[in-house]
Amino acid sequence: MGNDELWQRYQDWLYYHEGLDLYLDVSRMRFDDALVEELEPKFEKAFRDMEELEAGAIANPDEDRMVGHYWLRDPDRAPAELREEIVNTLSDIEDFARRIREGDITSPTGDRFTDILSIGIGGSALGPEFVSEALAADSPPMEIHFIDNTDPAGIDRTLNRLKAKDRLKSTLVIVTSKSGGTPETRNGMLEVHNFYDKEGLPFPRHAVAITVPGSKMDELERVEGWLAEFPMFDWVGGRTSEMSAVGLLSASLLGIDIRSLLEGAKEMDEATRVPDVKRNPAALLALAWYYAGNGKGEKDMVILPYKDSLLLFSRYLQQLVMESLGKEKDLDGNIVHQGIAVYGNKGSTDQHAYVQQLREGVPNFFATFIEVLEDRSAEWFEQNSYQLEVESDATSGDFLSGFLQGTRQALYENGRDSITITISQVNPRTVGALIALYERAVGFYASLVNINAYHQPGVEAGKKAAASVIDLQRKILETLRNTGQSDLTTLAERADAAEEIETVYKIVRHLAANQRVRLEGDRANPSRLQVSI
Ligand SMILES: O=P(O)(O)OC[C@H]1O[C@](O)(CO)[C@@H](O)[C@@H]1O
């Protein structure tokens, strides 16, 4: 296609939202009118599905749940019985955050809380991590740290860094788990609790819980008398919970304007209710994704924000897209192995990592550029008038923009598709809008390919498998205590795990590395190893 045709295609398919000052350009996705026509009936169903979802239908049939993340930013759309709790939770969050920031609520030593330690995983971490990286000021009212894994060394490093700065006594610990039982989060909470106990600091007076009422963590919070608790709702999925207490509490504590975040999301929601593909940005994204992967995820989604502060958007989208769309069965029970793989970090940095392969290598992807027009913050321009020219008539921001345009063009010329989303600046409204845009696009795409976007059965399988390894480990240790030293094969037999001898070997090797058992013999011949406690 020549430049004139491309310019015409750009204009024909350009979506512009005036209120949000947001552009969506799908012109470099080479779908044709025939596909748009073919998908028309599927989109009509997708629009109907979405309307029913927002009206309170059981849109997550596998878990018999409603899907209500859109209600978080527009409570009037929620079923009447839910509205009050949504509104009250938001004002409770704002009130608590204000009292913490103003020193009305202090730590047990009377110190103002200076730091937030957020313990959570998946949707209970990725949203807060993305939003704090994107929106926290250069010198925010509080510093935030994350424990989002059950890695003892990672937990120790975070705690030791806080201790080294004498900040433990002024740290607010937010433990977030919708289910209240996720092992990684439970482990992180117990490790931090233990560390505080050893430091002689009363953990409960530092701790805040965000969980579904009645969960194990809710029970613990009540028994131990934690500082506060905020509810999670069962009709909000983890990967769509940024606009609930999961994301709003830490954002508010960081001084981020959460009302703008919600407003941006609400404004995008209104835009993505329009039942017309060409006038609906989320439908345009779903169309582009369907075209790129032939409705089967045949191409990966590479997320390339040309803005440092949006670095974690791709990690956030990995869960939102892949945990929603990566499903073995469709809604009719057919085996479909659906999904779209997501990766990326930021431009232009990634041009010095993997863009070489994008430009010339295996064409198994489509790129999504995120362009931010303003090179620096509004505050910067209030204090500065002159930007450094790194070359005549060129600033570093011009180079960033040039790299985006150049990479988009270089990819297109070599037959690689891309989408470009353009916003004026990274602020709570535009971040809220981006989150809402992708939440809706995932929902539309799921309808197009007839899957449930709102459950995660595969993760349960992993959780069960992990639990069985831990159970086997207990049997191994009990066996060793009762029978003393034994070779690996005999140990496996005595632990009724002869069929899982490799797992037994992996367990004892890990235990030995952590001084829990002794392993003697030739490591290259594991079956003859002698194991003892
Ligand atoms: O908030 P919870 O219940 O601890 O779950 C954490 C994460 O684990 C999952 O349930 C499975 O990955 C996610 O959907 C969720 O965000």
Side-chain angles (χ1 to χ4, degrees), residues 431-484:
V431 168
L434 283 174
I435 290 172
L437 173 60
Y438 273 85
E439 286 175 342
R440 189 80 87 183
V442 165
F444 284 150
Y445 184 87
S447 282
L448 295 182
V449 299
N450 188 36
I451 59 164
N452 176 0
Y454 306 108
H455 70 332
Q456 49 283 329
V459 183
E460 304 318 315
K463 284 181 182 175
K464 289 194 182 89
S468 64
V469 170
I470 300 296
D471 289 343
L472 177 53
Q473 173 169 302
R474 285 195 191 95
K475 282 183 79 172
I476 289 166
L477 289 168
E478 186 190 342
T479 303
L480 286 169
R481 285 189 197 101
N482 295 338
T483 63

Side-chain angles (χ1 to χ4, degrees), residues 120-125 176-182 185 210 232 237-239 241 246 319 323 456 459-460 463:
I121 196 166
S124 294
T176 305
S177 175
K178 174 179 175 182
S179 60
T182 301
T185 307
I210 301 176
M232 254 294 268
R239 53 190 174 273
S241 63
V246 171
Q319 186 197 21
E323 194 165 81
Q456 49 283 329
V459 183
E460 304 318 315
K463 284 181 182 175

Side-chain angles (χ1 to χ4, degrees), residues 395-470:
T395 65
S396 50
D398 296 335
F399 272 85
L400 186 64
S401 177
F403 284 130
L404 189 161
Q405 304 309 338
T407 302
R408 172 176 173 271
Q409 186 176 322
L411 292 181
Y412 185 77
E413 285 167 357
N414 213 18
R416 283 98 207 279
D417 293 310
S418 67
I419 296 164
T420 304
I421 298 170
T422 302
I423 52 178
S424 51
Q425 55 175 256
V426 177
N427 61 41
R429 265 165 61 77
T430 55
V431 168
L434 283 174
I435 290 172
L437 173 60
Y438 273 85
E439 286 175 342
R440 189 80 87 183
V442 165
F444 284 150
Y445 184 87
S447 282
L448 295 182
V449 299
N450 188 36
I451 59 164
N452 176 0
Y454 306 108
H455 70 332
Q456 49 283 329
V459 183
E460 304 318 315
K463 284 181 182 175
K464 289 194 182 89
S468 64
V469 170
I470 300 296

Side-chain angles (χ1 to χ4, degrees), residues 8-231:
Q8 189 57 52
R9 182 173 173 87
Y10 174 82
Q11 295 172 87
D12 290 346
W13 284 96
L14 178 64
Y15 172 84
Y16 177 63
H17 189 292
E18 188 173 1
L20 293 165
D21 195 15
L22 177 143
Y23 303 75
L24 172 60
D25 161 24
V26 295
S27 67
R28 285 353 189 232
M29 301 297 288
R30 290 164 296 164
F31 55 83
D32 58 18
D33 292 345
L35 177 67
V36 179
E37 211 171 301
E38 176 200 327
L39 291 178
E40 202 60 50
K42 284 178 183 275
F43 267 111
E44 280 163 17
K45 180 179 183 306
F47 294 138
R48 280 197 310 277
D49 288 352
M50 195 56 77
E51 205 173 331
E52 289 163 13
L53 179 150
E54 289 203 86
I58 298 297
N60 176 359
D62 299 87
E63 295 176 338
D64 192 29
R65 281 180 177 167
M66 297 186 288
V67 175
H69 47 277
Y70 301 104
W71 303 332
L72 296 170
R73 51 262 197 176
D74 194 353
D76 291 342
R77 284 180 172 272
E81 67 276 13
L82 303 180
R83 289 174 200 160
E84 191 179 356
E85 190 175 18
I86 298 170
V87 172
N88 291 349
T89 301
L90 180 56
S91 54
D92 291 348
I93 288 166
E94 290 177 316
D95 182 50
F96 180 77
R98 180 182 48 73
R99 295 180 64 203
I100 291 281
R101 283 201 312 272
E102 291 174 359
D104 184 33
I105 300 175
T106 60
S107 78
T109 52
D111 295 287
R112 182 194 301 265
F113 282 107
T114 57
D115 291 72
I116 303 161
L117 175 54
S118 175
I119 305 174
I121 196 166
S124 294
L126 290 166
E129 289 169 334
F130 161 52
V131 166
S132 58
E133 179 73 16
L135 296 173
D138 295 348
S139 50
M142 297 179 80
E143 292 291 334
I144 191 165
H145 319 269
F146 293 94
I147 290 177
D148 62 3
N149 197 7
T150 181
D151 168 12
I155 294 168
D156 295 347
R157 182 175 60 179
T158 300
L159 291 169
N160 289 331
R161 285 179 176 171
L162 281 167
K163 180 177 179 181
K165 292 189 286 187
D166 193 25
R167 291 283 190 87
L168 285 173
K169 65 178 186 297
S170 58
T171 292
L172 189 72
V173 182
I174 301 177
V175 189
T176 305
S177 175
K178 174 179 175 182
S179 60
T182 301
E184 295 94 331
T185 307
R186 184 275 319 270
N187 297 352
M189 184 269 291
L190 291 176
E191 292 275 2
V192 173
H193 199 317
N194 181 53
F195 197 94
Y196 267 67
D197 293 348
K198 288 196 296 183
E199 292 291 321
L201 296 168
F203 175 81
R205 306 309 301 153
H206 288 260
V208 174
I210 301 176
T211 187
V212 167
S215 76
K216 272 189 253 177
M217 199 168 79
D218 175 44
E219 186 53 34
L220 178 69
E221 174 273 325
R222 257 208 291 273
V223 164
E224 290 194 341
W226 289 12
L227 198 57
E229 185 205 16
F230 296 90

Side-chain angles (χ1 to χ4, degrees), residues 281-300:
L284 285 169
L285 280 185
L287 166 66
W289 299 353
Y290 191 98
Y291 152 73
N294 193 23
K296 302 189 184 79
E298 292 169 357
K299 291 196 174 175
D300 298 347

